[in-house]
Structure formats: structure tokens, C-alpha cells
């Protein structure tokens, strides 16, 4: 399908009460597994490429590969820059044909986050891409008890309306108790805060740091107004576990290992598509 922004699909998800996943990828075999799942489950989704790709060799080759996969897919798939570190990274992503970008100014003072986001929104909209920004800061799971566990860094509900109006951002990542990577202790979601944010703005809301939440927590977050969920760590953990288990087998092989990565990604992505209610939403 032609590559287009995911915004319309996100608005549909918001209106109908399900969520779309953003699965990050760093290489080819995991990517194949993601698309296997999306095709089999007839689900729209985003594939995320992390902004750090621009600090590593061959960012264009990876972007071209994922973009070709998305264009060959028979379901709507957007390529989104994940945690865009700067205006420059967001512009590089757009120049490589990304259909959406996230800019992450969540660690900057509010007015600086607003100024940078506004500039990126203007540039992205000029080429038909939508923009995600982050208000409040979703930190690292390894440090969870120092912030999330104490309610620190959460999105200020009083600033949400102002931020969206000032920036013109299309969808918004919020900090309501999740964290990136593996959690130290158990995650606690502030669903009341999420509900307050939901009431104040119309844009689709995004949950980062999904890996490690229980199925009940995912369902509750989506019921409280989350329309996009970012998932990566769980895919990587599942693939790693399978590779370690497979490595000791008599018939372990290079090609077998690449299939193992692909199958692990497909299985976990399938699980999330069903859990989020995205299955079958590519049609109608
Ligand atoms: Zn994230």
C-alpha cells in the first residue's frame, strides 16, 4: 500500500476504543516477523525506527528496507521515527520517506519542548507527515523505583491543553507510570491521571514502555483513552530467549537462528494485536 501517515487510523482507533501498536525494529529478521503478524491479523500499525539509527552506519539502508516492506504490505503500515532526538533527526527521517515522526523534547523545559515541537510540526505537515511529541517524561525501567514508583516525571494534566494548542501536535505520548526497558519492580499505572488528560484534549494518546505491563493494565489503559502503544523490549526478550534455547541444539544453524528471530517477533506481535483490539481493523 502507499505509505501514508497513521493519523487517520489512530483517530479511528480512538473513536472505536482500540489501540494500534508501534513495534520498533533494528534489523531485517525481526522486521519480517512484524510484517508476518500484521498481514496474518489484517491489522494497521506503525513500525518504529529509533532516532539513534542516525548515529550508526547505514541509516538509509535500514529505512529503505522497512519502507519497501511497508509499501509491499496489504495493510496500512506507517514508518515512524521513534524518540526523535532533534529537529535535525526529524528532518533526516522525513527526507528518508518516514510517514510520521516522534520528537522527544520531554526532558527540556516546557517552553523549549513547545518551541521545538512546533517547528517540527510545521515542517512535517508540509510533507504530509504527522508528529508525536512527549509531555512529562517516560524514564528507564531500570530506575523505575526512583521515578515511576514515586509518581515523578508524570504528565502535568494542567499543561496538556496548552501544549497541544501551542504546538499543533497530532498525537501525544504521556507519562502515567510506564517506563522503557525492563522494570525494577512492578509498574503502576495512574489511570485517574490518564483519564484527566483524556478529558482535556482530543488528540490520540500514546503509551510508551508497554513491555512488562499485565494484560489487565493494557486493557485498562486502552479503555481510559490510549490509542497507540509502543512495544519493543518484549520482542527482543522473546527473541533472545528463543535464540539461547536454540543455540544448544544439535541442528542449530545460521538460517535456523534467523527464522527463530522472525518467529519470535511474529508470535509476540500477534499477541499484542489481539490484546489491543487491532486485529482485523485494516478493513472497513
Ligand atoms: Zn518510547
Amino acid at each position: 500500500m502507499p505509505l501514508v501517515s497513521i493519523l487517520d487510523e489512530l483517530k479511528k482507533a480512538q473513536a472505536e476504543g482500540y489501540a494500534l501498536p508501534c513495534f520498533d525494529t533494528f534489523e531485517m529478521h525481526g522486521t519480517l516477523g512484524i510484517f508476518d503478524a500484521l498481514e496474518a491479523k489484517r491489522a494497521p500499525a506503525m513500525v518504529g525506527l529509533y532516532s539513534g539509527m542516525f548515529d550508526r552506519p547505514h541509516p538509509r539502508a535500514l529505512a529503505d528496507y522497512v519502507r519497501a516492506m511497508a509499501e509491499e504490505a496489504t495493510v496500512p503500515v506507517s514508518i515512524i521515527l521513534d524518540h526523535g532526538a532533534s529537529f535535525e533527526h526529524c528532518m533526516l527521517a522525513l527526507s528518508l520517506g518516514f510517514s510520521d515522526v516522534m520528537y522527544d523534547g520531554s526532558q527540556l523545559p516546557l517552553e523549549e519542548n513547545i518551541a521545538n515541537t512546533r517547528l517540527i510540526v510545521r515542517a512535517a505537515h508540509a510533507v504530509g507527515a504527522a508528529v508525536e511529541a512527549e509531555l512529562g517524561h517516560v524514564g528507564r525501567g531500570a530506575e523505575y523505583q526512583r521515578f515511576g514508583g514515586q509518581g515523578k516525571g508524570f504528565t502535568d494534566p494542567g499543561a496538556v491543553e496548552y501544549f497541544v494548542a501551542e504546538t499543533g501536535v497530532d498525537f501525544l505520548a504521556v507519562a502515567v507510570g510506564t517506563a522503557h526497558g525492563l522494570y525494577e519492580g512492578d509498574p503502576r499505572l495512574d489511570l485517574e491521571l490518564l483519564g484527566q488528560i483524556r478529558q482535556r484534549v482530543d488528540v490520540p494518546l500514546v503509551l510508551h514502555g508497554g513491555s512488562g505491563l499485565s494484560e489487565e493494565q493494557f486493557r485498562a489503559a486502552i479503555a481510559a483513552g490510549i490509542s497507540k502503544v509502543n512495544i519493543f523490549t518484549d520482542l527482543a526478550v522473546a527473541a533472545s530467549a528463543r535464540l539461547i534455547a536454540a543455540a544448544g541444539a544439535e541442528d542449530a544453524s545460521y538460517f535456523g537462528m534467523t527464522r527463530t528471530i522472525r518467529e519470535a517477533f511474529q508470535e509476540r506481535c500477534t499477541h499484542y494485536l489481539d490484546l489491543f483490539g487491532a486485529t482485523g481493523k485494516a478493513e472497513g
Side-chain angles (χ1 to χ4, degrees), residues 82-83 180 208-209 230:
D82 198 23
H83 293 282
H180 293 109
H208 282 250
N230 279 44

Side-chain angles (χ1 to χ4, degrees), residues 33-57:
I34 293 170
F35 280 89
D36 288 342
L38 298 180
E39 292 283 357
K41 303 303 286 191
R42 308 305 303 156
M46 287 140 281
V47 174
L49 290 172
Y50 183 58
S51 192
M53 71 184 286
F54 294 120
D55 300 324
R56 293 193 290 271

